Amino acid sequence: MTKHRLQGNFFEDFRLGQVIRHATPRTVSDGDSATYMSLTGSRFASHSADTVAQQLGYPRRPLDDMLVFNIAFGKTVPEISVNAVANLGYAELRFVSPVFGGDTLSCESVVIGLRENSNRRSGVVYVRSTCYNKDGSVVLSWVRWVMVHKRKPEAKIAENHVPELRSATPVEDLVVRPRIRTSEALDEWCEATGSRSLWEDYAPGNRIDHPLGMTVEEADHMSATRLYQNNSRPHFDALQMRSSPVGRRLVYGGHVISVCRALAYDGLENVLSILSINAGTHAAPTVAGDTLYAYSEVLERQKVPGRSDVGVLRMRLVGLKNTPPSEVSALTMQEGPSSSSYHPAVVLDLDYSVAIPRKPTNGARHE
Amino acid sequence: MTKHRLQGNFFEDFRLGQVIRHATPRTVSDGDSATYMSLTGSRFASHSADTVAQQLGYPRRPLDDMLVFNIAFGKTVPEISVNAVANLGYAELRFVSPVFGGDTLSCESVVIGLRENSNRRSGVVYVRSTCYNKDGSVVLSWVRWVMVHKRKPEAKIAENHVPELRSATPVEDLVVRPRIRTSEALDEWCEATGSRSLWEDYAPGNRIDHPLGMTVEEADHMSATRLYQNNSRPHFDALQMRSSPVGRRLVYGGHVISVCRALAYDGLENVLSILSINAGTHAAPTVAGDTLYAYSEVLERQKVPGRSDVGVLRMRLVGLKNTPPSEVSALTMQEGPSSSSYHPAVVLDLDYSVAIPRKPTNGARHE
Amino acid sequence: MTKHRLQGNFFEDFRLGQVIRHATPRTVSDGDSATYMSLTGSRFASHSADTVAQQLGYPRRPLDDMLVFNIAFGKTVPEISVNAVANLGYAELRFVSPVFGGDTLSCESVVIGLRENSNRRSGVVYVRSTCYNKDGSVVLSWVRWVMVHKRKPEAKIAENHVPELRSATPVEDLVVRPRIRTSEALDEWCEATGSRSLWEDYAPGNRIDHPLGMTVEEADHMSATRLYQNNSRPHFDALQMRSSPVGRRLVYGGHVISVCRALAYDGLENVLSILSINAGTHAAPTVAGDTLYAYSEVLERQKVPGRSDVGVLRMRLVGLKNTPPSEVSALTMQEGPSSSSYHPAVVLDLDYSVAIPRKPTNGARHE
C-alpha cells in the first residue's frame, strides 16, 4: 500500500533549511471566540466587544491572541512535534497583525537548528514557524524547539546547529496596533475594563498575585486542544498514557498558557494585546484535576518609539498548580525562564510583552 | 504599587443611589448560541431557527433569553457579588428588547437598598441592573439582592433601606414582541414546535412534570459560566472550595436556571419568549454529579391588552436534584417562592412569565 | 388538562405511509462548526477552510457532513426513537447538497416498515427521513430502523412490512459536488491536506489502522448530543441509567461516528466529503471513560460517471473501544456490517462512500 501519512517526522527526517508547509488551513469565526471564551473565561476587553475594539482602531474585535497562537501552533504539530518527547521552549514569538472572524490561517515552518542528543536516541529540532492570513500577510511567527525521537538510534546525523535566539524582541520590532486617540477614548477604554491602572502604574519588580483559580477538567483541555486541531496523542488517549511517566493524559501547554493568561486579567485589565512572547517554559506537567493559579511580575517598562498613547510592559507570567501565589515567594524561583530548577508548583514561566495605555502627558491626570 | 482592582466591593463600599458601570462590554454571536445550545440542550423554536423567528416578526432568531440574562448577569459579578456570601433573590426582571448576533451588551447597576445584618459582619445589597445594547436601548433590567461580607465588622453603616419590590410585573408592563399574524402563521409555528398546546390549554393550578433529567458535569457548568465571563470563584476553584461548607465547586445558579428551562421544553413547547422573572430562589446548592429535573406549575393566565394572538402565562418552574418530579408532591412545597423551607430536592424556585400563542378566536379551532 | 407532548410514540402509534414533520427547525452557523470541532477534533480540509472549499467549487466551507447528519438525526428523535429500545441500523443515507452557515434545516420522516416482535412487547419501525434546507431543497435522506416498545403488549398490530433496502447506494446515484478543476488545484488541495494519497492509492482489501485514540468524557458526549438538540434520555440522565443494563449514561451513537470519523483523518486526509452511508451498526455501547480507536478497510474503488477528477471509495470504518486497531485482526470480524457477532471491542461498523481526488490521467503523475 502507498504511504498514508501516519507517523510524523523523526529526528533524522529533518534537514537544516527545510521548509514545511503545514496542512489544514483554518477559517476562524466568532464561533471560535465563543468556544475559546467558554473554555478559558477570557475577559480582555479588546477581544470581547466590537465597540471597544473599534475605539482602538480595529474594524471589529480581533480574536484573542492566544486563540490565534494555539490554532497556528496546532497546525505545526503533525510535522514537528507529534513524535516529540518534550516541547522545550518558545522564543521570538511576535504578533504582527490581528485576526478577525472570517480570516483563514495557514502555517509554514523552517528548520533552523538541529542538535543530536549525546545518547543518540533523540535530538532537538529548532523551527521558525510563520502563520499567514489568506492574503499572504504574516499573522505571527515564533521559534520553538522540541526533543524528537530518532527512528533508529544508529542513524547518522550530518548537521548540528544551534541557532542564536534573542532573549526578547526589542521594542522597536514590536508591532503595536491598538491606538488610544484621545483622552476621551482612554476614559471609554478604562470604563470598558473597570480599571485605571495604566502603564505608569506598573514598575519593574512589581508582582501581582492574581486572585482567581481554575480547576482543569479533562473535557475542558481536550475541547480546547481539539478546537486547535492539535492532534498530539498525550492530550487525548488515556489508555496509552497509562504507561507514560505521569500515567494519564497531559494538558496541552497552550491551554495552560490560555488559562493562566485568563486568570491574569485581574490586575492587568488594561492590557490591549500581546505583542511578543520572548521565552516560555512548561516547567511541569498539568493534569485534569489540577487547579491553576497565576502571578505576574513586571520585568521591564518600555516606551514605544513615536507613540505617547501606549507603552509596553515586559511581563513574566508564572502559572502554578494547586498552590495559590501567596504561598510561592519569588525567592523560591531560580533566575530567568531558562532555568530548569523551579518550585514544584510552577507549571509555566512565560516572558512576554504587552501593550497597555499610558496616562495623558498634558498633566490632565485621569486619577 | 497602585491599586489593581483585585478584591471587588465589600458591604461598606456600597452607597444608596450609587451607579456602577460594569466592565467588559460583550459582543454576542451565533457562536454563543451554539455554545449555549451545547451546554444546555435548549430547543425553544424561536431561538433555534431564523425562519421561525422571522414568522414571529424578528429579523432573525434572537439569542435565548437566558443566555442574554446570564451574560448580562456575569458583567455585574465583579462589582456586586464577587464577595457575596449568597445570592438571595431576583425580582422585577423584565426582557425589553431581543438580542441578535452582532449586538454588543453592557451593564450598569444602581444600588437601591442596603441592610446591615444584625451580626454586623455582613449586609444585604439590593441593586437594579440594566443591560444595554450598543445603541443604548435597554435589553433587560432586574433587581437582585446579595449578602456581602463587610471588610471590617466594626465599620459603621449609615444607610439602611429595603426597597419595595413588586411581586410580579403587571401584564401591562410586559413587552410582548413576538406576533402571530395569521392563522397560517400559527399553524407554521405549531409545526415548528410539534405541539398544539396553546394559552387556552394551560389553567392555573396545572402542573407539568417535565420528563427529562440532565446530569451536570464540572466541565459543563464551568464552560457555561466562563461563556458568561462570570468570574465568581466558587464555580471554578476546587482547591479553595474544599474548605467551604459544601466542600466542592458550586454550580452557578444561572446555569441551573438554564438547564431547568431547557428541561421544561417538553410540555411548554409553544413558549415564544420569557417576558419577566418575577421572583427566583436558589433553594439549595447544585454540584457536579447532581441530576436536575424540573416541573412547572401554571400560576396565572393573563390576556395581553390589545392582543388576541398571544397571551401570557405566569409560571412557576421548580428545579429538583436527584429526584424526579413524580416523587415531589406539591404538598411538600411551602407557600410561595420566598419561603425558606423547601423539600430538600428543590434547587430552584422561579416565578416567571412567558408569551405563548392563543387559539384563533373566530371559532376555527385548530385541534 | 390537554395533551402536552411528553411521551413520544410507541410502536402501535405508527402507521405505514405515515408522514411525520419533525419539530424544531434549526439554523446552523460557524458557531456549530467551532463547537463540533472542539468536541470531535475534526480536521478534514474541505470543512476547515473557506479558501480550500472555494477551490473545490463551494462558495465557502460547508459544515462537516456528520455535523449535518447529527443535527438532522436529532430532529427525528422525539417522534421516532425517544422510546426506542435500540437503534438497529442505518441504510441508504445519501448526502445531496452541502450546508453552509446561515442555512436552516428541518426534517420529515415517512414510516416505510413495521414489524412486530414475536414477544409482542415491541416492534421494529423503519423510517425514511429527509432533511430539507430553508429553500425546500433536500440536504440528505436516510433510512433507519429502531426497536420501539409497545404501550400495551395486547395492542393489535394490523400492518407488517419489512422494506427492501439497498446494500449500498450505486455510484451513479451519488451526488459528487466537489471538483478538482486543474492539476494546480490538485496540488493546492494536497498541500492543504499534507497528503498525496489519492484514489488510485487505495485498493479494495487495504486496511488503515488510524494511529490516534480519543477518550470520551461525559461532558463531551453530552455537549455534542445537546448541540444536535437530541433529547434522548439515556445520554443525559445518570440517575435513571443506574437501573439500566449498562448502569450508566450511554454515548450517543452519532457522537461515536463523529469521533471515529475524526480519528480516521490520518490515512484518509484527502477525503473530500461523505457521499453516502450504506449501512451502520452500533455493535456495543460506548460509555464515558472509554477510549475510542478506529481502523478503515477499503471495500470498493469506483469511478464516477463522467468525472475523471474525483473517484469514490466505499469504506468500512470500524470503531473500537479500549483496544488499539493493531490488536484486532480482521479475522476476528464476522462478515459484513449486518453481523451480530463482533469482536467485543467493536462499537461501530460503518459502511460508507466518500469522494477523493484521482491522479491526473495525462501521465503527469504528481508523485
Side-chain angles (χ1 to χ4, degrees):
Chain A
M1 183 159 197
T2 60
K3 73 178 170 82
H4 300 299
R5 189 196 62 181
L6 297 178
Q7 297 205 314
N9 291 310
F10 290 87
F11 184 67
E12 59 265 50
D13 298 327
F14 292 100
R15 293 286 170 270
L16 272 178
Q18 181 184 357
V19 177
I20 300 166
R21 294 206 46 181
H22 299 295
T24 327
R26 170 78 144 77
T27 300
V28 297
S29 74
D30 278 343
D32 295 297
S33 288
T35 306
Y36 186 79
M37 209 174 266
S38 81
L39 294 170
T40 65
S42 177
R43 288 172 285 147
F44 286 94
S46 55
H47 308 300
S48 180
D50 287 344
T51 51
V52 173
Q54 283 156 359
Q55 284 279 349
L56 304 174
Y58 297 108
R60 55 189 186 284
R61 59 178 173 161
L63 271 70
D64 193 287
D65 305 308
M66 287 310 304
L67 169 57
V68 172
F69 167 71
N70 280 317
I71 288 176
F73 183 96
K75 309 254 142 289
T76 70
V77 167
E79 285 84 14
I80 305 300
S81 54
V82 88
N83 295 317
V85 190
N87 279 290
L88 298 175
Y90 309 99
E92 298 192 6
L93 185 147
R94 207 167 59 114
F95 288 97
V96 178
S97 53
V99 174
F100 303 99
D103 285 350
T104 297
L105 306 179
S106 58
C107 278
E108 190 176 280
S109 295
V110 181
V111 179
I112 60 168
L114 290 171
R115 184 172 53 85
E116 191 179 11
N117 286 327
S118 54
N119 63 15
R120 302 203 52 197
R121 290 161 60 186
S122 57
V124 178
V125 181
Y126 296 77
V127 293
R128 183 180 303 277
S129 301
T130 306
C131 174
Y132 298 94
N133 212 326
K134 59 187 167 190
D135 63 359
S137 63
V138 172
V139 167
L140 81 159
S141 69
W142 72 98
V143 171
R144 69 170 169 137
W145 51 107
V146 296
M147 194 183 301
V148 179
H149 284 296
K150 287 172 72 180
R151 191 179 281 108
K152 302 175 183 170
E154 64 274 21
K156 289 221 173 129
I157 305 298
E159 302 169 303
N160 262 291
H161 173 71
V162 175
E164 279 189 44
L165 298 170
R166 298 199 286 203
S167 62
T169 300
V171 70
E172 58 271 21
D173 289 353
L174 299 175
V175 183
V176 183
R177 299 268 174 190
R179 290 186 177 274
I180 307 281
R181 289 168 200 284
T182 62
S183 176
E184 290 70 35
L186 180 62
D187 289 346
E188 291 195 29
W189 167 259
C190 289
E191 213 159 60
T193 67
S195 166
R196 301 265 357 163
S197 296
L198 301 176
W199 183 77
E200 289 79 0
D201 297 313
Y202 298 87
N206 284 171
R207 170 171 155 161
I208 304 161
D209 285 3
H210 306 295
L212 296 180
M214 177 77 65
T215 305
V216 179
E217 300 296 317
E218 299 283 13
D220 287 342
H221 77 82
M222 291 202 300
S223 287
T225 311
R226 286 183 296 235
L227 181 69
Y228 313 139
Q229 299 180 303
N230 178 330
N231 66 331
S232 186
R233 184 199 305 271
H235 312 311
F236 299 114
D237 186 335
L239 188 63
Q240 176 173 328
M241 292 304 287
R242 271 192 218 152
S243 55
S244 72
V246 175
R248 21 191 321 206
R249 281 168 281 180
L250 303 178
V251 175
Y252 161 53
H255 185 60
V256 173
I257 298 177
S258 286
V259 169
C260 289
R261 170 157 161 75
L263 295 173
Y265 175 78
D266 293 296
L268 290 168
E269 295 87 353
N270 280 323
V271 167
L272 294 156
S273 70
I274 301 181
L275 304 170
S276 68
I277 295 179
N278 304 306
T281 300
H282 297 293
T286 300
V287 297
D290 284 343
T291 300
L292 293 176
Y293 299 91
Y295 73 84
S296 294
E297 287 175 16
V298 183
L299 299 179
E300 271 188 88
R301 190 168 69 189
Q302 298 162 305
K303 291 185 182 173
V304 180
R307 297 278 298 272
S308 62
D309 59 334
V310 167
V312 168
L313 295 177
R314 186 174 162 199
M315 303 292 302
R316 184 186 199 176
L317 174 61
V318 178
L320 304 170
K321 64 179 175 187
N322 308 320
T323 310
S326 59
E327 298 179 21
V328 179
S329 80
L331 292 178
T332 62
M333 298 285 303
Q334 305 299 314
E335 282 288 296
S338 60
S339 165
S340 60
S341 168
Y342 282 100
H343 184 289
V346 175
V347 293
L348 173 71
D349 187 2
L350 197 75
D351 173 341
Y352 72 118
S353 296
V354 300
I356 189 166
R358 292 176 57 180
K359 295 193 176 178
T361 51
N362 58 0
R365 302 274 300 184
H366 283 255
E367 200 166 37
Chain B
M1 181 158 198
T2 61
K3 73 179 169 79
H4 300 298
R5 189 195 62 183
L6 298 178
Q7 298 207 311
N9 291 310
F10 289 88
F11 184 67
E12 59 266 51
D13 298 327
F14 292 100
R15 294 286 171 271
L16 271 178
Q18 181 184 357
V19 176
I20 300 167
R21 294 209 45 184
H22 299 295
T24 326
R26 169 79 144 78
T27 300
V28 297
S29 74
D30 277 342
D32 294 298
S33 288
T35 306
Y36 185 79
M37 210 174 265
S38 81
L39 294 170
T40 65
S42 177
R43 287 173 284 150
F44 287 94
S46 55
H47 308 300
S48 180
D50 287 344
T51 52
V52 173
Q54 284 156 358
Q55 283 279 347
L56 305 174
Y58 296 107
R60 56 190 185 286
R61 59 179 173 159
L63 270 71
D64 193 287
D65 304 309
M66 287 309 304
L67 169 58
V68 172
F69 168 71
N70 279 317
I71 288 176
F73 183 96
K75 309 252 141 291
T76 70
V77 166
E79 284 85 13
I80 306 300
S81 54
V82 89
N83 294 317
V85 190
N87 279 291
L88 298 175
Y90 309 99
E92 298 191 6
L93 185 148
R94 205 166 61 114
F95 287 97
V96 178
S97 54
V99 174
F100 302 99
D103 286 350
T104 297
L105 307 179
S106 59
C107 277
E108 190 176 280
S109 295
V110 181
V111 178
I112 60 167
L114 289 170
R115 185 170 54 83
E116 190 178 14
N117 286 328
S118 54
N119 63 15
R120 302 203 52 200
R121 291 162 58 187
S122 57
V124 178
V125 180
Y126 297 76
V127 293
R128 182 179 303 277
S129 300
T130 306
C131 175
Y132 298 94
N133 212 326
K134 59 188 165 189
D135 62 358
S137 63
V138 172
V139 166
L140 81 160
S141 69
W142 72 100
V143 172
R144 69 169 169 136
W145 52 105
V146 296
M147 195 183 299
V148 180
H149 284 297
K150 287 172 73 180
R151 191 178 281 106
K152 302 176 184 170
E154 65 274 20
K156 290 220 172 131
I157 304 299
E159 303 169 303
N160 262 289
H161 174 72
V162 175
E164 279 190 44
L165 298 171
R166 299 201 284 202
S167 62
T169 299
V171 70
E172 58 271 19
D173 289 353
L174 299 174
V175 183
V176 183
R177 299 266 174 190
R179 292 188 175 272
I180 307 282
R181 290 169 198 283
T182 63
S183 176
E184 290 70 35
L186 180 61
D187 289 346
E188 292 196 28
W189 167 259
C190 289
E191 214 159 60
T193 66
S195 165
R196 301 270 350 168
S197 297
L198 301 176
W199 183 77
E200 290 79 0
D201 297 311
Y202 297 87
N206 282 172
R207 170 171 156 161
I208 304 162
D209 285 3
H210 305 296
L212 296 180
M214 178 76 66
T215 305
V216 179
E217 301 296 317
E218 299 283 12
D220 287 342
H221 77 83
M222 290 202 301
S223 287
T225 311
R226 286 183 296 236
L227 180 68
Y228 313 140
Q229 298 179 305
N230 179 330
N231 66 333
S232 186
R233 182 197 306 273
H235 313 311
F236 299 114
D237 186 337
L239 188 64
Q240 178 174 326
M241 292 305 286
R242 271 192 218 153
S243 55
S244 72
V246 175
R248 25 191 318 207
R249 281 168 281 180
L250 304 177
V251 175
Y252 161 52
H255 185 60
V256 173
I257 298 178
S258 286
V259 169
C260 289
R261 168 153 163 78
L263 294 173
Y265 175 78
D266 293 296
L268 290 167
E269 295 87 352
N270 280 324
V271 167
L272 293 157
S273 71
I274 301 181
L275 303 170
S276 68
I277 294 178
N278 303 307
T281 300
H282 297 294
T286 300
V287 296
D290 285 343
T291 301
L292 294 176
Y293 298 91
Y295 72 83
S296 294
E297 287 175 15
V298 183
L299 299 179
E300 269 189 90
R301 190 168 68 189
Q302 297 163 307
K303 291 184 180 172
V304 180
R307 297 280 297 272
S308 63
D309 59 334
V310 167
V312 168
L313 296 177
R314 186 175 163 199
M315 303 292 302
R316 184 185 199 176
L317 173 62
V318 178
L320 304 169
K321 64 178 174 187
N322 309 319
T323 310
S326 59
E327 297 179 21
V328 178
S329 79
L331 292 179
T332 62
M333 298 285 302
Q334 306 298 314
E335 281 289 297
S338 60
S339 165
S340 60
S341 167
Y342 281 101
H343 183 289
V346 175
V347 292
L348 173 71
D349 186 2
L350 197 74
D351 173 340
Y352 72 118
S353 296
V354 299
I356 188 167
R358 293 176 56 180
K359 295 192 175 178
T361 50
N362 58 0
R365 302 274 299 183
H366 283 255
E367 198 163 40
Chain C
M1 182 160 196
T2 60
K3 74 175 170 80
H4 301 298
R5 189 195 61 180
L6 298 179
Q7 298 207 313
N9 291 310
F10 289 87
F11 184 68
E12 59 265 51
D13 298 326
F14 292 100
R15 294 285 171 271
L16 272 178
Q18 181 183 357
V19 176
I20 299 166
R21 295 209 43 185
H22 299 295
T24 327
R26 170 79 145 78
T27 300
V28 297
S29 74
D30 277 342
D32 295 297
S33 289
T35 306
Y36 185 78
M37 209 173 267
S38 81
L39 295 170
T40 66
S42 177
R43 287 173 284 148
F44 287 94
S46 55
H47 308 301
S48 180
D50 288 344
T51 51
V52 173
Q54 283 156 1
Q55 284 280 349
L56 305 174
Y58 297 108
R60 54 188 186 285
R61 59 178 173 161
L63 270 70
D64 192 287
D65 304 309
M66 288 309 305
L67 169 57
V68 172
F69 168 70
N70 280 316
I71 289 176
F73 183 96
K75 309 254 143 288
T76 70
V77 166
E79 285 84 13
I80 305 299
S81 53
V82 89
N83 294 318
V85 191
N87 278 291
L88 298 175
Y90 310 99
E92 298 191 6
L93 186 149
R94 206 165 60 114
F95 287 97
V96 178
S97 52
V99 174
F100 302 99
D103 286 350
T104 297
L105 307 179
S106 58
C107 278
E108 190 176 281
S109 295
V110 181
V111 179
I112 61 168
L114 290 170
R115 185 172 53 85
E116 191 179 13
N117 286 327
S118 53
N119 64 14
R120 301 203 53 198
R121 290 161 60 186
S122 57
V124 178
V125 180
Y126 297 77
V127 293
R128 182 179 303 277
S129 301
T130 306
C131 174
Y132 299 94
N133 212 326
K134 59 189 164 187
D135 62 359
S137 63
V138 172
V139 166
L140 80 160
S141 68
W142 72 99
V143 171
R144 68 170 170 136
W145 51 107
V146 295
M147 194 182 301
V148 180
H149 283 297
K150 288 172 72 180
R151 191 179 281 105
K152 303 175 183 171
E154 64 273 20
K156 289 221 172 130
I157 304 299
E159 302 171 303
N160 262 290
H161 174 70
V162 175
E164 279 189 44
L165 298 170
R166 298 200 285 202
S167 62
T169 300
V171 70
E172 58 270 20
D173 289 353
L174 299 175
V175 183
V176 183
R177 299 267 173 191
R179 291 186 176 274
I180 307 282
R181 289 169 200 282
T182 62
S183 176
E184 290 71 34
L186 179 62
D187 289 346
E188 290 195 29
W189 167 258
C190 289
E191 213 158 60
T193 66
S195 166
R196 301 263 1 160
S197 297
L198 302 175
W199 184 77
E200 289 79 0
D201 296 313
Y202 298 87
N206 282 172
R207 170 171 156 161
I208 303 161
D209 285 4
H210 305 295
L212 296 180
M214 178 76 67
T215 305
V216 179
E217 300 296 317
E218 299 284 12
D220 287 342
H221 76 83
M222 291 203 299
S223 286
T225 311
R226 286 184 295 236
L227 181 69
Y228 313 139
Q229 298 179 304
N230 178 330
N231 66 332
S232 186
R233 183 197 305 271
H235 312 311
F236 299 114
D237 186 336
L239 188 63
Q240 177 174 327
M241 291 305 287
R242 271 192 217 153
S243 54
S244 72
V246 174
R248 21 191 322 207
R249 281 167 282 179
L250 304 178
V251 175
Y252 160 53
H255 184 60
V256 173
I257 298 177
S258 287
V259 169
C260 289
R261 168 155 163 74
L263 294 174
Y265 175 77
D266 293 297
L268 290 167
E269 296 85 353
N270 279 324
V271 166
L272 293 157
S273 71
I274 301 180
L275 303 170
S276 69
I277 294 179
N278 303 308
T281 300
H282 296 295
T286 299
V287 297
D290 284 343
T291 300
L292 294 176
Y293 299 92
Y295 72 83
S296 293
E297 287 175 15
V298 183
L299 299 178
E300 271 188 88
R301 191 168 69 189
Q302 298 164 307
K303 291 184 181 173
V304 180
R307 297 281 296 273
S308 63
D309 58 335
V310 167
V312 168
L313 295 177
R314 185 174 162 200
M315 303 293 301
R316 185 185 198 177
L317 173 63
V318 178
L320 304 170
K321 63 178 175 187
N322 308 321
T323 309
S326 59
E327 297 179 22
V328 178
S329 80
L331 292 178
T332 62
M333 299 284 304
Q334 305 298 314
E335 283 286 299
S338 59
S339 165
S340 61
S341 167
Y342 281 100
H343 184 290
V346 175
V347 292
L348 173 71
D349 187 2
L350 197 75
D351 173 341
Y352 72 118
S353 296
V354 299
I356 188 166
R358 292 176 58 180
K359 295 194 176 178
T361 50
N362 59 0
R365 303 273 300 183
H366 282 257
E367 199 165 39

